[in-house]
Amino acid sequence: FFFKQKTAYEIAQRLVGSEMCIRDRYMGYYNMGCGEAKRGNSTSPEPRSKEAVKSIIDNKIYFYDKASELCKAEHIFLNNFEPSVITIGGIVYKSVEHYYQARKFIGEGKFKEYREQIIKAPDPGAAKKLARQFEGEVKDPEYWRVWNEERKLRVMKEAIKAKYDQNPDLKAKLLATGDGFLIEASPKDDYWGGLLPGSANMLGNLLMEYRFFANKKNSSQLHQYIKSCLLYTSDAADEQRGVDI
């Protein structure tokens, strides 16, 4: 099985505005101090030193649904297949994956039937397999455009918030990762994963976003901190800067 690895620029072309902001926000956060600082105002915090930035970037934490030479067993809990019961909208889901896959289908009729079958799936893998099967039965390209460009990121953020808000033990373990740069080590997903060259690492970014606010509890602090520094640049799509959180 072979596939063409996409460049950072190619991946960037299919990231919508909010996705680019999240990706850039965390590449910026973890590269603070690399370059000349742009002072936003007199109260902006000092950018990290290059030594501090290097320490953070070197502290990569890879995670996936099973342990490997790259992924420690203690970090498996970060993946979406981790058994973690969550309740959203009065409905109980066995895992983040169950919720994410079920939310691909909104409305009544056959879509409601799809959701119910996915929710009842015995494990996350079965939920994902069912969703892929049902996706093939929805032929409307506009439906999937809306999902990809407007809904899927929001759905994942909802699921992550529920997972850690409702499971204090998992939240404590996430906070214990400290300043580690979280990377989903998917061997084939260049959107949610961050292992392939040019990957967006969106799942890792969302986890770091949740962790930051769970620690700091101050959105303006992150906003000012990012605006006080030059943000990471890797390709032409990174021209969008200074977007409010």
Side-chain angles (χ1 to χ4, degrees), residues 71 167 176 180:
C71 307
N167 295 276

Side-chain angles (χ1 to χ4, degrees), residues 19-228:
E19 295 169 331
M20 285 192 290
C21 289
I22 289 174
R23 179 202 58 185
D24 295 350
R25 179 183 308 165
Y26 285 91
M27 291 312 295
Y29 172 61
Y30 282 93
N31 281 276
M32 288 173 180
C34 293
E36 178 186 357
K38 288 182 178 178
R39 307 310 301 163
N41 54 60
S42 59
T43 62
S44 296
E46 291 298 320
R48 298 174 189 265
S49 68
K50 290 185 179 181
E51 291 74 19
V53 172
K54 184 178 186 303
S55 174
I56 290 172
I57 294 175
D58 286 346
N59 184 22
K60 296 183 178 72
I61 296 176
Y62 293 94
F63 64 92
Y64 203 46
D65 60 356
K66 53 184 173 293
S68 66
E69 184 177 345
L70 188 63
C71 307
K72 295 181 179 179
E74 65 195 75
H75 296 136
I76 291 176
F77 78 94
L78 292 165
N79 91 92
N80 291 341
F81 277 36
E82 175 73 8
S84 50
V85 176
I86 59 176
T87 302
I88 301 179
I91 300 174
V92 178
Y93 301 86
K94 299 182 182 74
S95 69
V96 165
E97 192 69 21
H98 280 81
Y99 178 73
Y100 178 78
Q101 298 298 341
R103 289 288 290 158
K104 287 181 177 179
F105 307 97
I106 57 175
E108 297 299 317
K110 65 178 182 180
F111 286 169
K112 182 179 180 181
E113 295 176 9
Y114 295 163
R115 287 197 306 276
E116 291 175 347
Q117 290 188 53
I118 292 170
I119 291 169
K120 293 176 182 177
D123 57 68
K128 185 174 183 177
K129 184 176 180 179
L130 277 173
R132 285 185 171 177
Q133 174 187 327
F134 298 149
E135 285 173 24
E137 299 176 17
V138 182
K139 308 297 184 182
D140 182 5
E142 177 63 13
Y143 183 90
W144 295 116
R145 184 198 65 77
V146 172
W147 164 256
N148 284 315
E149 296 183 10
E150 300 176 18
R151 297 186 59 239
K152 71 177 182 180
L153 191 66
R154 182 174 71 251
V155 167
M156 187 63 78
K157 290 182 72 172
E158 291 169 354
I160 288 172
K161 186 176 189 304
K163 175 180 177 177
Y164 294 101
D165 281 356
Q166 298 175 24
N167 295 276
D169 57 327
L170 296 180
K171 182 176 182 178
K173 290 170 70 174
L174 173 59
L175 296 183
T177 61
D179 240 353
F181 195 96
L182 306 181
I183 302 171
E184 190 200 28
S186 171
K188 53 187 176 182
D189 190 335
D190 59 16
Y191 178 81
W192 296 115
L195 188 62
L196 300 175
S199 295
N201 193 39
M202 295 304 291
L203 180 56
N205 290 339
L206 291 180
L207 288 168
M208 289 187 284
E209 177 179 72
Y210 177 93
R211 184 183 64 191
F212 185 94
F213 290 122
N215 272 318
K216 304 295 184 180
K217 303 185 186 301
N218 186 345
S219 61
S220 63
Q221 184 177 9
L222 177 59
H223 178 64
Q224 290 178 3
Y225 203 41
I226 292 172
K227 289 193 71 174
S228 72

